[in-house]
Amino acid sequence: MGSGGLWARADSARGLGVLAAALASAGYSLILAVGAVTLRGDSVVLGIAMNLLAVGPTGFLLRTVFGVQGTFDDPSLAGLPLVGGFSPLAHLAWAAVGVAALMLSRHVRGLRLRGVGEAPDAAATLGVSPAKYQYAAVLVSGVLCGLAGAQLALGNVTLFSENMTAGRGWIAVVAVMLGRALPLGVLLAALLFGVAEAAGFRLQGLGLPQQATDAAPYVVTLGALFLTTARRRRRIRATGATS
């Protein structure tokens, strides 16, 4: 088989991998949707439990399907092709910010979704099904998480390793809090954490210990969480004083 055929097979395998990641993550997020929406469970507790649960099956499937333990690396599946220095999934992430911003501010379904998130009982009185929108939001979030995982495995390091996310999901949670759940705000918060991680790599090149440089984005996360909490407390005090 010529080099063109090999590249075509690799592109097809990468595409199937990205699709499988999105579908698997969406299916897994269905557990959260059922537990939080239908069974009225605490979404934070369910999220922590699901994160802990995911560690076991991924390690088991890694050994069962690929016959390796710890890390899987296939040289034939090189990283995602770059367009302008970024993978297609990175470009998709940028586009998703604009689509989400327009959807939530202009489209009727986006406005209904915001209403369901802020006051589900009031939305229900207007004929909107809160459960329908909540399920859709969780499943779409699952798809996006799967695409992020595919980017991490195929776009950044071109391998899969157990627990390779290394807590990045919690950084995403803090980014949402810091950005006040607004698409542009979340983007800026994510860029802040990305700059902190890149700075950690630079400092490592200057001779700092890897453990110290790896902690850079998490230090920024703790600082951002502290500032967000302090700002919320000041707002609550101001509201109490005026009332």
Side-chain angles (χ1 to χ4, degrees):
M1 181 180 295
S3 59
L6 292 175
W7 278 109
R9 286 186 58 186
D11 288 341
S12 178
R14 287 193 294 263
L16 289 176
V18 171
L19 179 60
L23 293 179
S25 183
Y28 193 65
S29 68
L30 186 61
I31 302 174
L32 177 61
V34 172
V37 178
T38 302
L39 302 180
R40 304 287 183 178
D42 189 299
S43 58
V44 175
V45 175
L46 286 170
I48 294 174
M50 289 179 64
N51 271 278
L52 296 174
L53 176 63
V55 175
T58 51
F60 172 76
L61 292 174
L62 189 63
R63 290 188 293 271
T64 303
V65 178
F66 298 104
V68 297
Q69 186 172 352
T71 301
F72 173 75
D73 181 17
D74 187 349
S76 65
L77 297 178
L80 292 170
L82 300 182
V83 180
F86 297 96
S87 75
L89 290 179
H91 288 284
L92 180 62
W94 288 98
V97 174
V99 171
L102 291 175
M103 182 80 177
L104 293 174
S105 62
R106 301 295 179 87
H107 197 278
V108 62
R109 293 188 182 275
L111 296 174
R112 288 176 179 175
L113 179 61
R114 291 175 57 185
V116 166
E118 296 173 1
D121 294 334
T125 61
L126 299 176
V128 178
S129 172
K132 175 183 175 181
Y133 279 87
Q134 289 166 347
Y135 263 88
V138 173
L139 292 178
V140 171
S141 299
V143 170
L144 295 176
C145 287
L147 294 177
Q151 165 65 25
L152 184 62
L154 292 175
N156 291 354
V157 293
T158 320
L159 59 82
F160 174 82
S161 179
E162 292 185 50
N163 199 28
M164 68 185 300
T165 55
R168 287 179 175 86
W170 301 113
I171 294 180
V173 172
V174 177
V176 172
M177 296 173 60
L178 186 62
R180 302 178 65 181
L182 299 173
L184 183 57
V186 175
L187 171 63
L188 295 176
L191 288 175
L192 172 64
F193 297 130
V195 169
E197 186 171 8
F201 292 145
R202 291 286 186 179
L203 293 175
Q204 185 176 342
L206 296 176
L208 269 72
Q210 180 182 354
Q211 293 80 3
T213 57
D214 288 346
Y218 302 98
V219 172
V220 174
T221 300
L222 290 174
L225 187 59
F226 174 79
L227 292 175
T228 302
T229 304
R231 183 176 60 185
R232 184 181 297 112
R233 288 178 177 176
R234 287 197 299 268
R235 190 183 304 114
I236 293 175
R237 291 196 194 101
T239 302
T242 55
S243 61

